[in-house]
Amino acid sequence: MEEKFAYIEGAEQPISMHPKKFALWLFMVTVVMIFAALTSAYIVRQSEGNWLEFTLPDIFYYTSGIVILSSIFLHWAYVSAKKDELVQVRLGMSIAVILGILFLIGQWYSWVALVDKDVYFVGNPAGSFLYVFTGLHALHLISGVIFLIIVLISSFRYKVHSQSMTPMEMCVTYWHFLGGLWLYLFMFLQLNH
Amino acid sequence: MATANLATHGATDHDHDHEHHDNFITKYIFSTDHKMIGKQFLVTGIFWALIGGFLSILFRLQLGFPDMDLTFLKPLLGGWIDDAGKLDPNFYLALVTMHGTIMVFFVLTAGLSGTFSNFLIPLQIGARDMASGFMNMLSYWFFFVSGVIMFISLFLENGPAGGGWVVYPPLSALEQAIPGSGMGMTLWLIAMTFFIASSLLGGINYITTVINLRTKGMSFSRLPLTIWAFFLTAVIGLLSFPVLFAAALLLVFDRSFGTSFYLSDIYISGEGALPNTGGSPVLYQHLFWFLGHPEVYIVLLPALGITSEVIATNSRKPIFGYKAMIISMLGITILSFVVWAHHMFVSGMNPFLGSIFMFLTLIIAIPSAVKVFNYLTTLWRGNLIFTPAMLFSIGLVSFFISGGLTGIFLGNSAIDIQLHDTYFVVAHFHLVMGSASFFGLMAGVYHWFPKMFGRMMDARLGYIHFWLTFVGVYLVFFPMHYIGIAGFPRRYYSWTNFEFSNMYTDLNMFVSAAAIITFAAQFIFLFNFFYSMYRGRKASLNPWRSTTLEWTTPLFPGHGNWPGEIPAVYRWPYDYSKPGAKEDFIMQTVPLSATPESNLPHEQELVKLEKEIIAEEEEVLVANESKES
Ligand code: HEM
Ligand SMILES: [Cu+2]
């Protein structure tokens, strides 16, 4: 029936995505635009000279590793949820939450490291931008952790399983996105400073 | 498929249950019904339009009658009128800033998109409601909070923000610069943050709804042009408002935390040098205009969409070039992101970059011209019915032409060096953006009032309102071209110190008088609007004999819009005066198989398939019903 419909439809069918998931994608587009704006502002400003040179805190390597690990564990939880293996779901998600919080703590220490290098939020924009990037990203990551915790709690209430994956899929998508966003920012900073 | 059907059934039953529990608060205040939210946006927009219009009258008094004694305004403005009856110069700057902010964002963005995207998207695509009613409600309430904060800022001791609606730093970043850069500016930024959140929540909803919730048969190539316009507007907003947020965020840091994103090497008399170094004010302009230019299309596109619908209906003709309309809107959407620096030709930007932006800017005239051409050809030899909505739509086309032409002047960087920041620019954008979009808004209100309130607005008052406003707008803004060419800079409190300005005293007076009359004419509309809401003639189900889905709903659609099944769609929305047809319009819900007399050859071929599908649909329905019982 679906194929036959194609004729009235003039080939287009409403895409078969859950509206809430779709809305989440659109939300991620807005987040991308914020960081696209900020990183292009960074480049424009940098090209004008008077730019403070400093090395990035090494801790960024560790936090990047943590964020990748957390995504791996979350993916494991997601695959397990599809197979209705609830114990693994809870374990994987709990580890992801803990790693997420570790990441945030790590980012805080990156600020400490910056201050030790005499790079402050108030001062040359080269440093200020770094604080804005990491801070704004951390804020989004906090929202991601909260989302994870909400889904984790509902998994303890037996509400996450192969027949009810939407919230799980959404929080997994969001989390991978936030991890990817951090890796982008880190790479961007590596290449442009 | 069967399960999906069951699921929708469940959802509607649920909605029906709700209906009985609606009390005043859930129905009129914290409503999640898209129709009510649309009306909330409309009424709030009208409120802001009155405030914004009133502010403009205040500064027009100053500009047209610089020697006037304004003491009679003292009860209202208090300390802003000094003992000699003169308007405070700083308050003048606050007035233009607030006028611009209110009109661009609160009236023509929220009041226009918010009203009509909310009201029309579900009705015209055949959906029960928006994808998320709750987010939709939040969108309105964020807008409301934003408005409350902006309103409070009007009454601050030091006045509201005064740096122009574009709030360029360093002027807006330093409290010492002008009184308006203090608390007023802080509240401006907070209000705009709420506003951005509201726009994004709304936009995400509009896009999701259009993509996911169209009824059977409503393909993208059958969407009314209104929906295309609202959809693309939402896409533009989604991509550009976050950038404004980024710009504002950095401005907040500069203002309140002492960073130097936009500030560098500034000396303040009596204070010496500020510590900020390394910032770039041009950076702000780039970020701002990356939103700012798309924003003008956010304001205009919905108005153009409404116009397409109204003009086709009231010409009793299919819109000319439906596909070309869509393609040119797509073109405008894309191009609107690559022309922003035409606002910065004289900002010290690299002139080579300027010539690239000049080239891109002039390209945008092409899709704009295509749209104008299509409106005119739709009108050409149509059976024109001059409803008030139709008049306002034609008015829009007129402003779009006269204001668009001056855009081409300004787009040439060499001419813009002379004209930038003069009244020529003010004339340009008030015609092409302000008045055109305002007329689109009015056309929409007159046209969909019967669907909103089940009653008709009075047409005769509508005609009076139209002619006064139409003539008024030209009398106000046309002379401004000459004033601008003569060299009058905008955002000046007075020019009486300049010798050359004497020649234009009368013209400025004339403009101000025309502005007051035009503003006064809006009260005719206001009366008509509220009077007709309660006392208007009862509307029929399809008063304009239009083809789109909203006219298949009951006179007062409940939450869920259609009492039974959502109708399916079998044709495009512009089957007006089809040769051979019994009437001069065929609704989108009429199957091709029901109109053999008017089908075109390729449509006739589709009839057989269509019949099969209808039969299958019925089978599914029967199956469902037997399952349910
Ligand atoms: C033919 C297409 C158009 C061209 C080539 C064009 C070009 C320009 C240019 C170059 C400026 C900058 C003038 C200056 O500040 O020196 C300008 C200003 C402006 N244009 Fe257009 N424009 C066009 C259409 C439109 C449309 C359709 C809208 C709105 C719906 C619009 C809204 C504005 C606004 C609001 C400003 C002034 C912003 C401000 O400085 O406050 N323009 N236009
Ligand atoms: Cu522009």
Side-chain angles (χ1 to χ4, degrees):
Chain A
M1 183 200 141
E2 224 80 81
E3 300 86 88
K4 270 200 219 138
F5 225 82
Y7 101 92
I8 312 197
E9 292 279 298
E12 269 131 336
Q13 270 282 327
I15 59 162
S16 57
M17 196 189 250
H18 191 282
K20 285 213 174 108
K21 260 193 234 166
F22 191 77
L24 176 70
W25 277 96
L26 293 179
F27 174 70
M28 294 189 300
V29 170
T30 67
V31 179
V32 166
M33 284 311 294
I34 292 181
F35 282 95
L38 290 172
T39 46
S40 11
Y42 181 97
I43 295 176
V44 170
R45 172 57 197 83
Q46 188 186 28
S47 68
E48 288 181 11
N50 185 5
W51 192 250
L52 183 69
E53 298 288 341
F54 57 91
T55 51
L56 293 176
D58 289 333
I59 200 162
F60 283 164
Y61 286 102
Y62 299 108
T63 51
S64 302
I66 292 175
V67 103
I68 294 173
L69 264 184
S70 76
S71 267
I72 293 174
F73 275 103
L74 193 60
H75 187 72
W76 177 56
Y78 166 72
V79 175
S80 311
K82 271 203 194 158
K83 292 191 224 142
D84 286 327
E85 289 162 352
L86 268 186
V87 181
Q88 275 100 315
V89 176
R90 290 171 194 157
L91 188 63
M93 291 199 72
S94 309
I95 296 176
V97 168
I98 291 167
L99 288 174
I101 293 168
L102 272 181
F103 173 85
L104 288 169
I105 296 171
Q107 294 299 76
W108 175 259
Y109 275 99
S110 79
W111 285 6
V112 175
L114 282 174
V115 171
D116 285 343
K117 292 182 207 221
D118 276 341
V119 177
Y120 302 102
F121 178 49
V122 175
N124 189 287
S128 314
F129 267 116
L130 196 57
Y131 283 94
V132 173
F133 290 169
T134 46
L136 206 57
H137 176 264
L139 271 183
H140 284 93
L141 205 101
I142 290 172
S143 74
V145 171
I146 293 171
F147 196 176
L148 279 185
I149 292 175
I150 290 172
V151 178
L152 181 60
I153 291 172
S154 68
S155 88
F156 277 103
R157 296 194 181 139
Y158 301 97
K159 285 188 184 145
V160 177
H161 50 75
S162 59
Q163 298 305 310
S164 147
M165 289 292 285
T166 309
M168 178 83 186
E169 278 168 4
M170 282 170 63
C171 85
V172 172
T173 313
Y174 188 47
W175 191 259
H176 291 336
F177 165 73
L178 291 175
L181 182 62
W182 168 249
L183 295 180
Y184 159 72
L185 287 174
F186 184 38
M187 255 164 32
F188 173 86
L189 289 168
Q190 286 285 351
L191 296 174
N192 297 292
H193 86 281
Chain B
M1 189 68 219
T3 42
N5 261 353
L6 280 180
T8 40
H9 271 275
T12 43
D13 289 345
H14 185 72
D15 281 344
H16 284 300
D17 282 347
H18 260 287
E19 200 106 33
H20 302 296
H21 305 303
D22 266 349
N23 55 32
F24 182 81
I25 291 192
T26 55
K27 181 149 185 232
Y28 293 106
I29 300 184
F30 294 109
S31 170
T32 55
D33 183 346
H34 71 99
K35 296 185 291 299
M36 184 51 71
I37 295 174
K39 290 178 207 169
Q40 288 174 330
F41 270 106
L42 179 59
V43 173
T44 318
I46 290 175
F47 168 78
W48 279 111
L50 286 173
I51 303 232
F54 178 68
L55 299 183
S56 76
I57 297 304
L58 292 181
F59 62 70
R60 262 334 303 184
L61 283 179
Q62 162 64 27
L63 294 176
F65 313 95
D67 301 323
M68 190 173 171
D69 181 2
L70 295 175
T71 315
F72 68 98
L73 286 169
K74 225 168 159 69
L76 186 67
L77 299 183
W80 297 116
I81 307 281
D82 70 12
D83 293 335
K86 290 263 160 287
L87 189 72
D88 182 272
N90 279 309
F91 194 62
Y92 172 87
L93 295 178
L95 285 174
V96 284
T97 304
M98 282 296 121
H99 167 74
T101 308
I102 289 170
M103 288 306 195
V104 171
F105 292 111
F106 288 5
V107 179
L108 293 178
T109 304
L112 180 59
S113 270
T115 303
F116 290 103
S117 298
N118 269 314
F119 190 77
L120 289 180
I121 287 178
L123 283 175
Q124 287 198 332
I125 67 171
R128 298 264 176 227
D129 203 325
M130 284 286 175
S132 166
F134 177 71
M135 262 169 66
N136 214 13
M137 179 184 89
L138 272 189
S139 162
Y140 175 75
W141 286 103
F142 274 52
F143 168 50
F144 188 83
V145 170
S146 162
V148 169
I149 295 170
M150 201 64 92
F151 192 74
I152 289 172
S153 86
L154 291 173
F155 300 97
L156 290 177
E157 161 112 54
N158 281 328
W165 77 281
V166 297
V167 297
Y168 283 173
L171 184 62
S172 63
L174 301 172
E175 239 175 289
Q176 305 91 321
I178 45 169
S181 291
M183 192 60 187
M185 190 60 217
T186 305
L187 291 192
W188 191 95
L189 286 165
I190 298 173
M192 284 310 293
T193 307
F194 277 99
F195 186 84
I196 293 170
S198 154
S199 292
L200 290 176
L201 284 169
I204 288 176
N205 236 329
Y206 307 151
I207 298 174
T208 313
T209 309
V210 171
I211 290 195
N212 289 287
L213 300 183
R214 280 166 291 134
T215 182
K216 271 181 245 115
M218 183 61 92
S219 62
F220 268 94
S221 56
R222 285 184 182 161
L223 282 183
L225 288 172
T226 34
I227 303 299
W228 267 104
F230 300 150
F231 176 69
L232 292 174
T233 304
V235 171
I236 300 180
L238 197 75
L239 296 176
S240 61
F241 271 114
V243 179
L244 178 65
F245 176 76
L249 186 71
L250 300 187
L251 185 55
V252 168
F253 289 144
D254 274 8
R255 286 172 50 81
S256 309
F257 296 86
T259 55
S260 315
F261 291 106
Y262 304 133
L263 301 175
S264 190
D265 308 317
I266 291 171
Y267 291 84
I268 306 246
S269 62
E271 269 184 55
L274 294 183
N276 309 67
T277 60
S280 157
V282 177
L283 178 62
Y284 174 85
Q285 299 195 15
H286 277 298
L287 288 173
F288 179 84
W289 286 112
F290 189 86
L291 159 97
H293 185 83
E295 169 65 24
V296 305
Y297 283 98
I298 291 176
V299 163
L300 185 70
L301 277 183
L304 291 177
I306 289 170
T307 299
S308 307
E309 194 64 23
V310 172
I311 284 190
T313 304
N314 292 303
S315 304
R316 313 311 292 165
K317 266 177 72 180
I319 190 89
F320 186 90
Y322 174 76
K323 288 252 162 69
M325 287 299 224
I326 296 172
I327 293 168
S328 49
M329 281 198 280
L330 278 168
I332 287 175
T333 303
I334 295 164
L335 286 173
S336 71
F337 284 102
V338 293
V339 300
W340 76 88
H342 64 215
H343 297 275
M344 302 165 57
F345 286 143
V346 293
S347 66
M349 182 183 68
N350 182 339
F352 176 69
L353 215 59
S355 55
I356 294 175
F357 276 103
M358 174 175 125
F359 175 70
L360 292 166
T361 297
L362 295 180
I363 293 180
I364 223 174
I366 298 170
S368 311
V370 169
K371 293 199 71 89
V372 167
F373 178 78
N374 287 352
Y375 289 133
L376 296 180
T377 36
T378 305
L379 289 167
W380 182 252
R381 299 207 167 160
N383 286 323
L384 303 189
I385 303 171
F386 291 105
T387 62
M390 177 70 159
L391 289 174
F392 275 99
S393 296
I394 297 173
L396 178 152
V397 176
S398 162
F399 295 145
F400 191 46
I401 297 173
S402 52
L405 282 177
T406 52
I408 300 177
F409 291 42
L410 294 170
N412 289 281
S413 53
I415 304 179
D416 188 57
I417 292 171
Q418 161 75 14
L419 293 175
H420 176 67
D421 259 353
T422 67
Y423 270 76
F424 192 87
V425 177
V426 178
H428 159 66
F429 72 78
H430 275 92
L431 284 176
V432 76
M433 175 173 87
S435 306
S437 305
F438 178 72
F439 270 45
L441 176 66
M442 282 300 136
V445 173
Y446 278 104
H447 194 76
W448 279 287
F449 191 89
K451 193 72 258 161
M452 288 181 176
F453 302 104
R455 291 173 185 271
M456 308 294 283
M457 284 179 81
D458 186 77
R460 200 161 303 145
L461 287 177
Y463 295 139
I464 300 173
H465 174 220
F466 168 77
W467 283 110
L468 285 175
T469 314
F470 182 72
V471 174
V473 162
Y474 271 124
L475 292 184
V476 172
F477 295 115
F478 212 82
M480 283 191 192
H481 292 108
Y482 301 106
I483 297 176
I485 293 172
F488 280 74
R490 62 195 279 212
R491 299 184 179 132
Y492 270 39
Y493 170 70
S494 91
W495 304 287
T496 39
N497 292 340
F498 305 116
E499 193 62 41
F500 82 95
S501 76
N502 297 342
M503 252 173 77
Y504 290 89
T505 314
D506 293 343
L507 199 54
N508 267 318
M509 222 185 276
F510 175 81
V511 165
S512 293
I516 292 168
I517 294 170
T518 315
F519 182 66
Q522 304 317 305
F523 287 90
I524 302 174
F525 167 78
L526 213 62
F527 169 77
N528 197 353
F529 184 83
F530 286 106
Y531 182 83
S532 307
M533 212 186 254
Y534 298 102
R535 293 285 173 80
R537 191 158 52 78
K538 283 245 163 56
S540 58
L541 277 182
N542 187 359
W544 318 118
R545 297 153 49 78
S546 189
T547 57
T548 39
L549 283 183
E550 74 272 29
W551 305 108
T552 63
T553 56
L555 195 57
F556 295 100
H559 198 167
N561 295 340
W562 286 269
E565 289 281 309
I566 300 180
V569 162
Y570 300 94
R571 56 178 78 232
W572 78 326
Y574 298 105
D575 265 346
Y576 289 106
S577 303
K578 208 173 178 189
K582 291 189 200 92
E583 287 196 85
D584 69 349
F585 71 108
I586 310 175
M587 307 274 304
Q588 282 190 282
T589 50
V590 177
L592 292 170
S593 50
T595 56
E597 68 282 358
S598 67
N599 286 348
L600 300 170
H602 74 275
E603 288 169 336
Q604 199 56 41
E605 278 164 32
L606 299 178
V607 167
K608 207 172 123 274
L609 259 169
E610 190 186 84
K611 274 187 182 148
E612 275 174 35
I613 286 162
I614 294 175
E616 244 182 84
E617 277 295 301
E618 259 151 31
E619 262 168 48
V620 173
L621 267 185
V622 173
N624 274 347
E625 258 152 41
S626 58
K627 237 186 256 169
E628 265 166 30
S629 52

